[in-house]
Amino acid sequence: MAQWTSAVGAAQLARLLTSQQDRPGGPGSRRPPAYRSLADGIRLLVLEGRVPVAARLPAERELALALSVSRTTVAAAYEALRTEGFLESRRGAGSWTAVPAGNPLPARGLEPLPPEALGSMIDLGCAALPAPEPWLTRAVQGALEELPPYAHTHGDYPAGLPALRAMIAERYTARGIPTMPEQIMVTTGAMGAMDAICHLFAGRGERIAVESPSYANILQLMREAGARLVPVAMAEGLGGWELDRWRQVLREAAPRLAYVVADFHNPTGALADEDQRRRLVEAARSAGTVLVVDETMSELYLEDGLEMPRPVSGFDPAGSTVITVGSASKAFWAGMRIGWVRAAPDVIRSLVAARAYADLGTPVLEQLAVNWLLSTGGWEQAVALRREQALENRDALVAAVRRELPSWEFSVPQGGLTLWVRTGGLSGSRLAEAGERVGVRVPSGPRFGVDGAFEGYVRLPFTVGGAVAEEAAVRLAAAARLVETGVSGPTEAPHTFVA
């Protein structure tokens, strides 16, 4: 019996490999043999998760034709991958991808670094900061005081605790978006909200328009739901949304859903202005597309005096086009898995009904903690602390990267948690792999794109500051030198870094 579970066509694999081109090396750089470059490229695709483990690869002859190389080159590359444990083969069944014994399975999203690796590895993979104490502790203590009446109930609230739904609705109303509690569903984080929305609106094979680049974990959630992603290119730098492109895609592709991050976009940091928001809502309404707006970064503005635009839902007074997703995870703490959906009451009812077949509801204690924060003013003070941390980290990271890697290009956003960095022509996938060897973990650009896009980028979050940010930039520069010189294989492990 064959042990592969999916297949990668020759044309698809060739397209993914072509996106991994490095810039020519400087004096003294070594260009590996063609078979070695091919083997390295396939190995990187497996490690990135863009080619799944247990995926059947094309036959040697088919791939040779697609790449315009000799069959001998492909055969030698496959043999090298078998020797390294990244390929298994059986006569009559073909060859399929694998990972060597002891290696973790590649994750296609941005999984947190295991705690045991934190001593030697600087983690720039996860855009999340430590909890803003003492507010987490106070919120949990406040929740425990409010818990006894709920402990005498079944504890099952599929739409969320009524008190928290009312509080979230009140906050939208205060922002100029009149909202009733019946328009709110509390979820297990923003990911839980997006999962519920995708399952309700976008069944297998449905089109979803997405920004290009966009948030990696949401893209992967949509792929696993069976959606067909339709990318819409973002403008360079912080220019944000090209409305002519959006109008064309929505008109011609007629996607069921469109997903956007209008407030400090992840990963670019762009902030949509009011005109972009108005025109995007109009284009979605005209095309009959439901526009899902991710507001998880909306409170993380970092510049004094920055006037935030109206929420996107403010341009949809009838409530027929825009669904809004919010969360406590970015603004407060990633360990507080509380998110919410704001939509028309009939949509909320449908989402709640469908939830019975998923997670049933969100933990009561965490809902009470968030409700305590929102009702006591603790939320505003905690988020102010979070902004202060993010601003300090942003400025430290920007200065360190500009000093150590002057050829790398980026625009400094006014909020959010991420820098979107063009890497001077280097492969982001190879930088990510080299970074693991020198002690810095960074996600490559293709994780934020569709079908191999953004190979020349990495995302750097504002999760470290001070001396740790400086050391992270030093290690990134070391990884860049490894990529430039074509060095592969194990590297001396970095010393444990203590902040």
Side-chain angles (χ1 to χ4, degrees), residues 8 22 61 93 104 110 123 141 155 212 215 230 255 262 303 312 325 332 336 348-349 351 374 379 391 418 428 472 489:
V8 180
D22 286 340
R61 188 185 302 278
L110 302 178
D123 185 12
Q141 291 170 342
S212 183
Y215 179 36
V230 183
E303 303 290 351
V312 177
V325 171
F332 185 75
M336 188 68 76
I348 295 297
R349 287 193 294 271
L351 287 170
L374 295 175
W379 178 270
L391 177 60
T418 58

Side-chain angles (χ1 to χ4, degrees), residues 38-372:
L38 177 55
D40 287 348
I42 294 174
R43 176 170 52 82
L44 280 171
L45 290 173
V46 173
L47 291 172
E48 279 280 299
R50 288 186 285 150
V51 169
V53 175
R56 187 179 187 274
L57 296 186
E60 294 171 1
R61 188 185 302 278
E62 294 175 1
L63 186 56
L65 287 171
L67 293 172
S68 298
V69 300
S70 70
R71 183 177 177 182
T72 302
T73 296
V74 177
Y78 278 14
E79 180 58 33
L81 290 168
R82 278 189 287 269
T83 300
E84 296 162 4
F86 285 93
L87 196 68
E88 296 181 10
S89 303
R90 180 178 297 167
R91 186 178 298 277
S95 299
W96 56 92
T97 56
V99 291
N103 276 38
L105 285 173
R108 298 188 68 180
L110 302 178
E111 74 289 356
L113 188 69
E116 62 270 17
L118 290 174
S120 60
M121 184 75 70
I122 297 175
D123 185 12
L124 297 180
C126 187
L129 290 161
E133 288 287 30
W135 298 106
L136 174 62
T137 299
R138 292 181 181 177
V140 173
Q141 291 170 342
L144 288 171
E145 293 175 2
E146 298 292 334
L147 183 61
Y150 294 94
H152 295 292
T153 73
H154 48 64
D156 185 3
Y157 297 89
L161 292 184
L164 181 56
R165 296 176 72 194
M167 182 58 65
I168 294 170
E170 182 180 314
R171 289 176 65 83
Y172 275 108
T173 300
R175 295 169 66 192
I177 314 297
T179 303
M180 302 178 295
E182 293 79 8
Q183 292 178 262
I184 301 295
M185 180 177 84
V186 180
T187 63
T188 307
M191 291 293 289
M194 286 302 306
D195 183 64
I197 292 166
C198 287
H199 280 90
L200 180 63
F201 284 95
R204 186 164 295 277
E206 290 276 7
R207 295 184 180 93
I208 301 179
V210 295
E211 298 146 329
S212 183
S214 188
Y215 179 36
N217 287 338
I218 294 294
L219 294 180
Q220 187 56 26
L221 182 154
M222 292 172 176
R223 291 186 187 102
E224 292 181 358
R228 297 163 60 189
L229 303 185
V230 183
V232 187
M234 297 281 285
E236 287 293 319
L238 300 177
W241 294 259
E242 298 277 9
L243 270 301
D244 290 341
R245 293 176 180 173
W246 272 101
R247 210 168 4 250
Q248 179 181 3
V249 167
L250 295 179
R251 182 178 63 250
E252 295 179 358
R256 185 71 181 90
L257 287 180
Y259 169 76
V260 298
V261 186
D263 298 295
F264 309 120
H265 176 259
N266 187 353
T268 68
L271 176 65
D273 61 32
E274 291 208 357
D275 183 59
Q276 289 173 322
R277 294 167 189 241
R278 179 185 297 104
R279 293 169 62 195
L280 185 57
V281 171
E282 290 172 353
R285 184 183 297 118
S286 177
T289 297
V290 175
L291 183 62
V292 183
V293 181
D294 185 334
E295 286 190 339
T296 54
M297 297 281 192
S298 64
E299 295 192 63
L300 292 177
Y301 50 87
L302 305 182
E303 303 290 351
D304 290 337
L306 176 62
E307 185 175 345
M308 290 292 293
R310 276 193 293 165
V312 177
S313 55
F315 300 97
D316 180 37
S320 59
T321 299
V322 176
I323 295 177
T324 302
V325 171
S327 172
S329 298
K330 295 298 185 185
F332 185 75
W333 184 48
M336 188 68 76
R337 304 305 305 159
I338 298 295
W340 52 85
V341 178
R342 180 197 180 275
D346 62 319
V347 172
I348 295 297
R349 287 193 294 271
S350 296
L351 287 170
V352 171
R355 192 176 194 179
Y357 306 100
D359 65 354
L360 295 180
T362 301
V364 169
L365 188 62
E366 292 186 28
Q367 292 188 71
L368 287 173
V370 171
N371 190 60
W372 183 92

Side-chain angles (χ1 to χ4, degrees), residues 22-32 426 430 434 437 477-488 491:
D22 286 340
R23 70 178 181 185
S29 63
R30 303 193 303 272
R31 302 300 296 180
L426 296 179
R430 296 181 190 276
R437 301 206 302 272
R481 287 192 293 272
L482 290 180
V483 175
E484 287 175 322
T485 57
V487 175
S488 61
T491 302

